[in-house]
Amino acid sequence: MTSQPCLREHLDTPIVDAYDVVVAGGGASGLIAAVSAARAGARTLLVEHSGCLGGTATYGMVAQWIGFFNRDTRVVGGLPYELSEHVRRLGGSDGFHRYVLAEASSNPVPIYNFPFNPEVLKYAADELVQEAGVALRLHARVVAPLMADAGRVGGVVIEDIGGRSAVRAGMVIDATGDATLAAAAGVACAGTEAAQRRERQPCTLVFRMSNVDVARFRALPREEKRALALRGLEEGRIYWESLSFCSTPDYTDAIGLMSRIHDVDALDPADLTRAEVKGRRQIHNIVGFLKERVPGFERASLAGIAAHVGVRETRRIVGRHTLTEEEIVGGARHADTIALGAGPMDLHEANGGTGIALWTPEHPFEIPMRCLVPAELGGVLVTGRAISATRSANGGSRHMGTAMCLGEAAGVLATELLGQHSDALPHERVRAVLRSREALISVDDALAADTPASAFKAAA
Ligand SMILES: Cc1cc2nc3c(=O)[nH]c(=O)nc-3n(C[C@H](O)[C@H](O)[C@H](O)COP(=O)(O)OP(=O)(O)OC[C@H]3O[C@@H](n4cnc5c(N)ncnc54)[C@H](O)[C@@H]3O)c2cc1C
């Protein structure tokens, strides 16, 4: 084994501020976590690496929320539902639609989605955060934990255009999607084992086309879409069995989730770079195929490529409880449930495959609060894609509707834990606050909830 030369640095990092709650990452889960904590009374800082909030929904251009409905039952209320209404009011979406996921694949699944214009979500999220009084730092990366006495996380170290600084926090919420901060603090994680690295789901770089006759494309029979997809695969011009698009509310633009980049460990910077470059090459081929072969795209042009490749899977923490697929299928109930998952269960085939394992659980499933709490370290919670779940359970709990609900719960829990140094979790109080905000936190809540008909648009 060769040992690498090492640069030894001595850093005097100024501690510039102190907050009750600091949230690392302003994606689906983190932006809601920050607003949730602020509304619960915590002085809150939200630190986001990119120039906008929304994460995979905006800089990744994945412009449809799913996970709001299990079959016909709405399972998401509270802040995420409020944000969906706000996006609608701003003209960024026309509401929930019936939609067939992976329609051109061998395995299509009907769901409800909430398609939106990702550019509108950017300023809708700004407004939500500002109205809640959250302090926001964009273009800032959380690079390390600040450890407090007793081995707890007591803040974060941030790097931005101004250099390096530290901020103390009563509680830190890791919403990076990759459990970056938790892992750096020593929280045990799953997903990085050699076997799991080999079966990582492929990445997808998303693109947007303008001047599309969306209605014409949507009206094509499924068999025709499937035949087109298979032809594209045969010609080597598309990369999985799908013509997968969400559309903006004016039906002029189609946002394509059609690239598929295999064998990427998104925790490895060289792999991540390769994924971006390969994704763009794939998009060049896909766009040519669409314009040449697919009705509705004849006059379309490429309007944009996401700023960041979409990453489905990296590491997940080992929490006080690990959500499993057996619990999801078996309808397990938990005294400390703080969010409901809807599915679908969604695992894209790894290792060069072109298929997808996709199915909807019979019932909504309960996610216990303990999935957000590292088994052995205090001062930090994890929300979003990196909560404690098995690989297959994560396939159903990583959708943005669910990630936002987890964020709302993380914000309340962090606030409730301020100043508390025991291991006890105040689940009764957290659940009471969530219920007072009309969050749906049990299957019975979901069955009793009503969704205003105005929230729906006819099938598209
Ligand atoms: C290709 C693809 C398609 C998908 N399709 C759908 C779909 O159709 N509908 C759906 O609901 N879900 C979909 N998902 C799943 C969903 O988008 C993610 O699982 C979800 O966004 C996870 O939310 P999150 O908040 O954990 O992470 P993200 O939304 O990814 O947000 C993480 C945020 O943390 C920031 N960050 C990371 N590290 C740091 C750091 N060190 N310091 C500061 N900030 C940091 C990032 O910049 C980002 O803003 C898809 C995912 C992919 C990749």
Side-chain angles (χ1 to χ4, degrees), residues 216-230:
R216 179 152 181 245
F217 170 73
R218 292 267 184 244
L220 295 177
R222 178 183 170 253
E223 298 69 36
E224 195 173 331
K225 288 180 182 152
R226 175 129 183 90
L228 281 164
L230 292 177

Side-chain angles (χ1 to χ4, degrees), residues 134-219:
V134 172
L136 177 63
R137 273 172 83 174
L138 296 175
H139 296 296
R141 191 174 187 88
V142 170
V143 293
L146 183 66
M147 298 309 287
D149 296 341
R152 289 169 56 87
V153 175
V156 297
V157 178
I158 298 169
E159 284 181 359
D160 59 19
I161 187 76
R164 191 175 161 97
S165 60
V167 174
R168 287 193 208 282
M171 286 296 297
V172 173
I173 299 175
D174 181 333
T176 60
D178 298 317
T180 306
L181 181 81
V187 171
C189 290
T192 52
E193 309 83 345
Q196 292 219 5
R197 282 164 66 131
R198 273 196 300 279
E199 58 178 4
R200 287 256 169 87
Q201 298 176 72
C203 291
T204 293
L205 184 62
V206 180
F207 62 96
R208 176 171 182 156
M209 294 191 76
S210 288
N211 244 343
V212 180
D213 186 342
V214 173
R216 179 152 181 245
F217 170 73
R218 292 267 184 244

